[in-house]
Amino acid sequence: MLKIGPYTLNSRLLLGTGKFENEQTQTDAIEASGTEVLTFAVRRMNLYDKSLPNPLANVDLSQFVTFPNTAGAHTAEEAVRIAEIANHAGVCNMIKVEVIGDDKTLLPDPIETYKACELLLDKGYIVCPYISCDVVLAKRLESLGVHAIMPLASPIGTGRGINNPLNLRYIIEQSNIPVIVDAGIGSPKDACFAMELGADAILLNTAISNAKDPVKMAKAMKLGIEAGQLSYEAGRIPVKYTAQASSPTEGLGFL
């Protein structure tokens, strides 16, 4: 079971809702993924501008935890304004804090992210910041009171997998709140690896929505995450540098 603030979840896959080719594919992918949490960029929704398309118009949102994000924010104040739009619309009081600090790499701004988290916690939000793979920042944010940490695997949309497994492991080992790997996952193998390292959940969007067959990929990701979780719980064997015979070496005197 995954617990984020007051929310208890069976699925460890959080699914983004942007970039799908059409609504039917998105609906089928959501079902195949088994997710219980749908994430979306508030600025892409018609929460404040009814002329904008609503990618979730035909999804029964009562079946899901909706998890808006502050994508598009470049300052703490912008992130807070976006969160309040979602909250006033009654979407959810749990917010993914995303404050971009570099438009080329889309890497998050750690200082503005910290400030935004502080402001949103004061307002009573369930706060989950998207951060670079930085154990010091993760610990500072946990001390501040955030409800989950969302380190990136690699830059958004690149599909490069986990660039820095050592740093990710540092965060996981020292965290007392859920660690949700967000951004850069490209395949079920990447998702499985993150879970084997001890991550609590994975947030996905592009790897599913831009796959040749998004519905099949959604199912593959679901299985990859489940396999990684089982492997982590089972405990892998230690890596050795010399061969170890799997069959007994006794009783070979007749040779």
Side-chain angles (χ1 to χ4, degrees), residues 108-138:
D109 183 323
I111 297 171
E112 293 298 313
T113 298
Y114 186 94
K115 287 166 59 181
C117 290
E118 193 169 33
L119 292 168
L120 289 166
L121 286 167
D122 284 346
K123 291 175 177 289
Y125 285 82
I126 308 300
V127 177
C128 307
Y130 165 66
I131 63 170
S132 294
C133 216
D134 180 342
V135 68
V136 177
L137 178 60

Side-chain angles (χ1 to χ4, degrees), residues 179-192:
V179 176
I180 304 168
V181 175
D182 180 11
I185 295 292
S187 73
K189 179 186 71 175
D190 300 333
C192 184

Side-chain angles (χ1 to χ4, degrees), residues 138-159:
K139 290 169 67 176
R140 291 285 183 93
L141 287 164
E142 181 179 337
S143 297
L144 186 65
V146 303
H147 299 81
I149 293 290
M150 306 183 72
L152 56 80
S154 51
I156 294 173
T158 61

Side-chain angles (χ1 to χ4, degrees), residues 27 63 73 91 103 132 156 179 197-198 222 224 226 237 248:
T27 301
Q63 304 298 312
V91 177
D103 287 332
S132 294
I156 294 173
V179 176
L197 288 174
K222 172 179 181 288
E226 290 175 356
I237 62 170

